[in-house]
Amino acid sequence: MPSRDEVHYFGAGPAPLPTAVLEAASKALLNYKDQGIGLCEISHRSADANEILADAKSALKTLLEIPDDYEILFLQGGGSGEFSAVVTHLVGIWVEKRRLRAQEDLTVALADGKEPGSKDDLAEKVFARLQKEVAEELKLDYLVTGSWSLKASQEAARLVGQDKINVAIDSRKSNEGKFRTIPPESEWSLTKRKREGGPGSALVYFCDNETVDGVEFPRFPTLLEPHQEDEVDNDQTLVVADMSSNFISRKVDVSKYAVIFGGAQKNVGNAGVTIVILRKSLLPPTINVASPDLLRRLGIAVAPVVFDWPTIAKNNSLYNTLPIFDVWIAGQVMKHLVESFGERRIGGQEEVSTQKAHALYSTLDDYPDVYGVVPDKSCRSRMNICFRVCGGKADKEKEFIGGAEKRGLLGLKGHRSVGGIRCSNYNAVTQDGVQKLVQYLSDFARSAA
């Protein structure tokens, strides 16, 4: 039986965790803080649980230098749950902003005699205007660059209707039906504003790193940069990013995003907890989501309460039974990074991630007759290195995986939907593990030549 040190796991998620964290977890599971009970057995409403939650938030805030005007939520449901929560919450805000504007405009118009009727008619006049605006103007922009952003756009369409979804880019269209690149911003067709004082769409959504397809945005899109003349949240485009598979792997200017979310099971912890970083101005008392009655009357989906961000924020992520063990693991991983890199914070981990990815891609590029990297060089993921062996020949790729496993290099099989090979280069993948994979890539290539 191999020891943990002899095996290097490159699976896409659940992914490896730092050995030191797992060793501490094994003790905490049996007897947390010498209390005679394990971490999975304590109440999620206990002082210990609140301390674990506070420590995890503090570590994440330190790592990413999250501004004070952002809230951090811990939920369940994974990234897929947030596909839904993003839509129900931000569409609900879009409707509420339009309702308030309509009410203000029509109140003035009625008082000035510019609008026929009386104040008794105001509620129905507001609803009629809202109904028209929802039908004609409500749009959600999606940048579809891989399997996960595609699924997110499909969930949005399921909730609010396909007619409300604007796929601003679909990178398959220029790549023979495959996700291999990110089209230039000049080709993006984002929703344009139809009136002054309001954004063009309820949100713009993109997946920062596509786990299945190995595509990563190299930087924050210039086209989505906030404009100085825009008032925050009133006029700015609300940018939403799924960072499930590159979370805490590189520097992020959180202030450019309305919402960032990610499942923990890749870079942060084990499966079971989802992290949401959310601008506080998108929560009460600054703004409310439109009432469930109004949304239902407009034919718009209402969020389940366990995915309702205002409810989760109001209850400090403890509305329902939060898996405290999972939060503790995530907190330990993040504290480990804080302690490891000090003042460099997440920049230190970014350097390591980039070095490991460079070593792998350089080796693959050295043997173009044997290996073919799937995504274009302009958007190669540092986290998920996807490639084919010998042009995708099934027998050769099977041979490659079998040979890797004999060397203790596990989890290299590509996603079932695309096949091939995928090496997930998450934070807990050691430089030693990467070097052993680099050596195997070279050895296999020479033998296959």
Side-chain angles (χ1 to χ4, degrees):
M1 180 181 295
S3 69
R4 186 172 177 84
D5 291 338
E6 295 174 300
V7 169
H8 298 279
Y9 185 65
F10 299 93
L17 289 164
T19 298
V21 171
L22 289 177
E23 289 173 342
S26 66
K27 296 176 183 177
L29 271 172
L30 288 173
N31 192 350
Y32 184 63
K33 286 187 172 180
D34 295 323
Q35 297 179 89
I37 61 171
L39 187 52
C40 285
E41 300 165 297
I42 68 171
S43 168
H44 67 297
R45 302 202 184 280
S46 65
D48 283 333
N50 275 276
E51 180 183 41
I52 288 167
L53 196 55
D55 287 348
K57 286 184 178 181
S58 176
L60 179 56
K61 187 172 182 178
T62 298
L63 273 179
L64 294 185
E65 300 181 72
I66 298 174
D68 290 338
D69 57 343
Y70 280 75
E71 184 66 72
I72 300 171
L73 307 178
F74 289 84
L75 308 91
Q76 297 172 72
S80 296
E82 294 310 303
F83 292 171
S84 308
V86 161
V87 173
T88 53
H89 189 80
L90 296 186
V91 168
I93 285 178
W94 187 95
V95 171
E96 180 63 8
K97 287 179 177 178
R98 293 302 183 101
R99 186 192 69 80
L100 291 172
R101 188 180 303 145
Q103 185 166 291
E104 180 181 351
D105 291 349
L106 290 168
T107 298
V108 172
L110 286 169
D112 293 344
K114 295 178 180 178
E115 179 76 23
S118 66
K119 289 184 179 180
D120 295 335
D121 303 324
L122 181 61
E124 284 308 308
K125 287 181 178 291
V126 169
F127 178 77
R129 175 166 148 176
L130 264 180
Q131 195 172 38
K132 186 174 187 295
E133 290 181 3
V134 166
E136 297 177 359
E137 299 181 33
L138 175 58
K139 291 291 181 183
L140 289 70
D141 288 346
Y142 279 78
L143 310 181
V144 177
T145 57
S147 301
W148 288 110
S149 51
L150 176 62
K151 286 187 176 183
S153 70
Q154 291 169 338
E155 173 62 359
R158 190 183 71 85
L159 291 170
V160 298
Q162 187 63 55
D163 62 310
K164 306 297 183 195
I165 308 305
N166 173 45
V167 177
I169 56 171
D170 183 341
S171 63
R172 295 172 297 180
K173 291 183 178 180
S174 57
N175 290 282
E176 300 176 343
K178 304 292 184 182
F179 292 118
R180 290 176 178 163
T181 189
I182 299 173
E185 294 184 23
S186 59
E187 296 179 11
W188 298 9
S189 58
L190 296 170
T191 301
K192 299 187 183 302
R193 299 183 185 188
K194 289 193 175 182
R195 63 177 68 229
E196 290 298 321
S201 59
L203 61 94
V204 178
Y205 187 107
F206 70 96
C207 181
D208 205 36
N209 183 79
E210 291 282 1
T211 322
V212 172
D213 307 284
V215 172
E216 183 176 33
F217 279 80
R219 65 191 67 82
F220 187 85
T222 303
L223 206 56
L224 302 183
E225 290 279 357
H227 298 290
Q228 289 185 347
E229 66 270 19
D230 287 346
E231 296 178 18
V232 173
D233 296 336
N234 287 330
D235 298 330
Q236 280 186 15
T237 298
L238 298 182
V239 178
V240 178
D242 176 357
M243 294 189 181
S244 291
S245 54
N246 65 353
F247 207 70
I248 62 170
S249 73
R250 67 177 180 182
K251 292 180 180 179
V252 174
D253 185 350
V254 174
S255 67
K256 293 181 179 180
Y257 300 84
V259 184
I260 295 169
F261 72 81
Q265 67 273 15
K266 301 182 186 292
N267 264 331
V268 189
N270 54 304
V273 66
T274 312
I275 302 172
V276 175
I277 303 170
L278 162 75
R279 202 175 282 155
K280 287 181 179 178
S281 55
L282 296 172
L283 294 169
T286 306
I287 187 67
N288 291 299
V289 175
S291 72
D293 287 343
L294 176 58
L295 291 172
R296 278 192 292 269
R297 194 178 174 196
L298 289 167
I300 295 174
V302 177
V305 69
V306 292
F307 291 143
D308 182 65
W309 294 338
T311 299
I312 303 303
K314 181 180 178 182
N315 289 276
N316 189 32
S317 297
L318 296 170
Y319 175 78
N320 61 326
T321 307
L322 188 69
I324 290 300
F325 176 72
D326 299 341
V327 177
W328 182 85
I329 289 283
Q332 293 297 304
V333 169
M334 293 186 288
K335 284 171 67 176
H336 175 71
L337 290 177
V338 171
E339 292 165 0
S340 297
F341 297 113
E343 290 300 315
R344 288 189 294 162
R345 305 190 187 192
I346 205 61
Q349 180 59 54
E350 182 175 11
E351 290 176 17
V352 174
S353 298
T354 300
Q355 289 168 3
K356 291 189 296 177
H358 177 73
L360 289 163
Y361 281 123
S362 294
T363 306
L364 292 169
D365 289 340
D366 282 344
Y367 302 98
D369 293 336
V370 179
Y371 303 120
V373 178
V374 174
D376 185 77
K377 281 189 176 182
S378 63
C379 58
R380 286 178 173 180
S381 169
R382 299 162 305 114
M383 294 289 101
N384 307 103
I385 290 91
C386 296
F387 59 96
R388 305 308 299 251
V389 176
C390 298
K393 292 180 180 178
D395 59 333
K396 285 295 184 181
E397 293 189 335
K398 184 177 180 180
E399 179 186 342
F400 177 89
I401 291 171
E405 290 175 349
K406 289 178 181 177
R407 297 197 188 191
L409 306 171
L410 308 181
L412 289 166
K413 189 175 182 180
H415 190 271
R416 62 187 181 279
S417 65
V418 296
I421 312 298
R422 174 175 56 180
C423 165
S424 293
N425 175 39
Y426 297 137
N427 292 354
V429 172
T430 65
Q431 289 175 307
D432 178 55
V434 167
Q435 286 307 312
K436 287 182 177 178
L437 178 54
V438 164
Q439 185 62 56
Y440 175 63
L441 287 169
S442 297
D443 291 346
F444 183 89
R446 285 193 290 266
S447 68

